[in-house]
Amino acid sequence: MTRARRILAVAFVLIVAIAPAIVVQVQAEIDHAHELGKQLKCTCGGCEQSAGTCYHVGGQFSGPCGVAKMMIGEIQKHLDEGMTDDKVIAAMIKEYGPGAYMEPPKQGFGLVAWLMPGIYLIAGAGLVLFVISRWRKRGVAAAGKTASAKPVSPELLERARLLAQEATKE
Amino acid sequence: MDVFGSFALLLAFVCALYALLGGIAAIFTRHPLLIKSARQSGIAACCLIFVSTLSVVYLFVTDNFSVAYVASHSNRDLATFFKVVALWAGQEGSLLFWCFLLSVYIFSVLIAYRNKHGELMPYVGAILAGVQLFFLTISNFVANPFKSLAVANASGGLDYLARADGSGLRAVLQYPEMIIHPPNLYSGYTGFTIPFAFALGALLARYPGEKWIHLTRKWTMIAWCFQTIGILLGAHWAYAVLGWGGYWGWDPVENASLLPWLTGTAFLHSVMMQEKRGMMKVWNVWLVFITFFLCILGTMLTRSGVVSSVHAFAQSDIGGWFVGFLIIIMAVCLGAYFKNRDYLKSENQLDSMVSRESSFLFNNLVLLVACIAVVSGTLFPVFSEWFTGSRISVGAPFFNKVNIPLGLLLLFLTGVGPLLAWRKTSAESLRRNFLWPSTMGVVGMVVALASGVRDLYALVCFALCTFVATTIVVEYYRGARVIHSRTQMNWLSSAVELTLRNTRRYGGYIVHFGMVMIFVGLAGQAFNREVQKEIPVGGTVNIGPYELLLQAMDQKQEKNYVAERMIVEVMKNHKPVMILFPERRNFPAGEESGTMVAIYSTLLEDLYVVYAGVNQGSTVPTIHVFLNPLVKWVWFGGVVVVLGTLVALLPSRQAVLVLAGGKATEPAAGFVPAVQSPVSLREGHD
């Protein structure tokens, strides 16, 4: 084998060995861009779906939406430039505005959306506990009155038992 | 036929108007003739709406493209059954269909109770006529499905015309569930009108006794059942057609359908406190009012364009009408409540914090909080625009983060509720009742951990599912054991007999079991995987244990569309499993395309394959594959929920009397009589 042939053979082996890794890397990044797209709202204006899931009615065709594909392409471009995930999201928000958030930001007015359910639950639980304790007090008072009432006679209890037995037989 | 249908619709409006005004007059005068004429006018309005609806269907089937609505939603090549269901494909037709379903309910009520509840029915009839009148006003004067196609001529008049062919039905609507999803969902929405009418009527009439609450409960269950079916069919439709791999995207329309379902569920639980203990009358009446209010609010949200939605095809400028109607509803409810609130006075008292009553209160709290969270999340973009000037989006991640913990809390209460006795649960009873379910819950969590589940929510969900399922099984076992020992029936027959003797209680348990199955399916979402890849013919893509080989691409010419499809061989662990045909359909009539997903579904997982298009540059097709675990459990769970609801609607065969003291007559665990009398009576749903 000549030297040139030897170099070619080594190069071929290296390419064969590295190519799948490159393909896998590219594939992983395509999927990652898609994943990141799920954190951003599709700006097609026809739905509230993310760029990663926008298949809304009224798009170019019902899945995937053309605008979403374009946004995922931009995300891919940012990833290719070596940006981190946070920087990609920040760059996209800078470009498309706060309307591109998939969930409200945890600051400013967006914080209201996050806090409200917790406040409802805590306030509601407090109310329920208050109501229960109030109704319990009434229950205790009523039980006191019942306890002082005339007890049920053994004859009446026996009659009830017989009636119950008859009903069961039927 | 369009003139005939239009005239019938107008006449229906007149009849409904009379039913309302005559009904109000009848309430004040108590004149028998007036009561009868108002009722008959209501029945006539319903019949005329049936005629009008059939007219629209006839126009579709006969391809009458001179009618604007038909021309916009059908075409000659459309399959006949799609032409029939195109009735509800757009705003005008779906509102008429809404009227139609409401009329089916009203007709049934007016006929079934014509000789019953003489004091109550004039109120109920007038309220139903009022609601019907609103929708007839919309259908007649705002969104009329009989409007002809016309163009303005030079003299300022109109030239009527007919198109040779229509624009066709939207691509995503050409799917079998289009036939059954909207009728079920609308039957749910419209069905909640009936309990609303009974509750409001009883309050206005100060109707004596508790009969009205039984009627309200029964009709709520019917509407709730339809709403459940409608929601699940909608989810299945979204899953099978939209191609994004999921079935619940927290779209405003989905949220709107969930709202009355949540409050309706709360009512179906809290109403038991009124029936058994005479408690919470005010709360129950308001739950019924709010449920109906949310039905109309949801309709307004999704049809007015206030919030954007995947159901954009059914939007137009009718929001103002709905806002007006909502204001009227709230004013009437508030007025009726403040005028007659003493009628709802009840002696609310509890014996113990640890009781069935307390668990129902917390159940109602969680359902209501979930409802408010969904409403506020859905409307948050609108609020943020009002307050800050910029629209902040609220999508699926927010709703999931907020509602998953609430859902798990609710699941926990589903298991706890049946283990607690009415009035008071003793420490001994608590220990005995919780032993098996808690043990099995822990076992469930350990098994999930051992199976590699590491997602916290999924772990908790599996543990709670085991806990609730064990609760139900133990309850069934204890009840069936009594029948088995007395009658020597086999265990299965004993369980059936037990169910038939107390359909409400055990139907309720079946519903709970269905919900457990749904939660198992929902937990599966934590493990969804997906891969999107461009593959040439002969190429493969791997996901989990599956390998998908693109064997070929072909085309299929159908009457109404041309399909371009992938032929994909699926192999699992290197063994061929089946061939899937994901396709994209091009509909020339509407110049639209749509996906048809191919799904290989097992109890364990769904392999969900989408033909996602062709790369314009390389002309290589793109495949999008999802591996979604446990999805089938959601659909099967839905079927079980519906079966349970149907069982609960059946009348019980007989009340079960159980004597305390003897072995064979030992009360089921969880039942502790309030007063320690030797005789205890078990009846009704717990």
mmCIF file of all heavy atoms in Angstrom, chain A residues 49 68 113 126 132 137 151:
data_model
loop_
_atom_site.group_PDB
_atom_site.id
_atom_site.type_symbol
_atom_site.label_atom_id
_atom_site.label_comp_id
_atom_site.label_asym_id
_atom_site.label_seq_id
_atom_site.Cartn_x
_atom_site.Cartn_y
_atom_site.Cartn_z
ATOM 1 N N GLN A 49 -50.860 28.405 20.605
ATOM 2 C CA GLN A 49 -49.943 27.263 20.642
ATOM 3 C C GLN A 49 -48.480 27.737 20.638
ATOM 4 O O GLN A 49 -48.185 28.870 20.262
ATOM 5 C CB GLN A 49 -50.171 26.374 19.429
ATOM 6 C CG GLN A 49 -51.562 25.775 19.347
ATOM 7 C CD GLN A 49 -51.732 24.610 20.295
ATOM 8 O OE1 GLN A 49 -50.929 23.703 20.316
ATOM 9 N NE2 GLN A 49 -52.797 24.651 21.085
ATOM 10 N N ALA A 68 -44.523 28.878 12.612
ATOM 11 C CA ALA A 68 -43.810 28.088 13.627
ATOM 12 C C ALA A 68 -42.538 27.488 13.031
ATOM 13 O O ALA A 68 -41.483 27.483 13.692
ATOM 14 C CB ALA A 68 -44.722 26.977 14.148
ATOM 15 N N ALA A 113 -50.329 36.454 37.486
ATOM 16 C CA ALA A 113 -50.890 35.187 36.995
ATOM 17 C C ALA A 113 -50.395 34.009 37.818
ATOM 18 O O ALA A 113 -51.149 33.075 38.100
ATOM 19 C CB ALA A 113 -50.516 34.993 35.536
ATOM 20 N N GLY A 126 -58.619 28.714 53.984
ATOM 21 C CA GLY A 126 -58.892 29.444 55.227
ATOM 22 C C GLY A 126 -60.385 29.603 55.439
ATOM 23 O O GLY A 126 -60.904 29.368 56.538
ATOM 24 N N ILE A 132 -66.054 25.408 58.617
ATOM 25 C CA ILE A 132 -66.157 24.125 59.323
ATOM 26 C C ILE A 132 -66.171 24.349 60.838
ATOM 27 O O ILE A 132 -67.000 23.776 61.558
ATOM 28 C CB ILE A 132 -64.990 23.176 58.928
ATOM 29 C CG1 ILE A 132 -65.188 22.683 57.489
ATOM 30 C CG2 ILE A 132 -64.917 21.978 59.866
ATOM 31 C CD1 ILE A 132 -64.038 21.842 56.957
ATOM 32 N N LYS A 137 -69.273 24.327 65.864
ATOM 33 C CA LYS A 137 -69.773 24.915 67.118
ATOM 34 C C LYS A 137 -71.288 24.755 67.188
ATOM 35 O O LYS A 137 -71.847 24.397 68.213
ATOM 36 C CB LYS A 137 -69.390 26.392 67.187
ATOM 37 C CG LYS A 137 -67.971 26.602 67.666
ATOM 38 C CD LYS A 137 -67.618 28.067 67.681
ATOM 39 C CE LYS A 137 -66.110 28.241 67.822
ATOM 40 N NZ LYS A 137 -65.667 29.550 67.398
ATOM 41 N N PRO A 151 -84.735 10.258 76.114
ATOM 42 C CA PRO A 151 -84.142 9.179 75.324
ATOM 43 C C PRO A 151 -85.216 8.317 74.641
ATOM 44 O O PRO A 151 -86.354 8.267 75.098
ATOM 45 C CB PRO A 151 -83.366 8.369 76.366
ATOM 46 C CG PRO A 151 -84.001 8.699 77.657
ATOM 47 C CD PRO A 151 -84.557 10.072 77.542
#
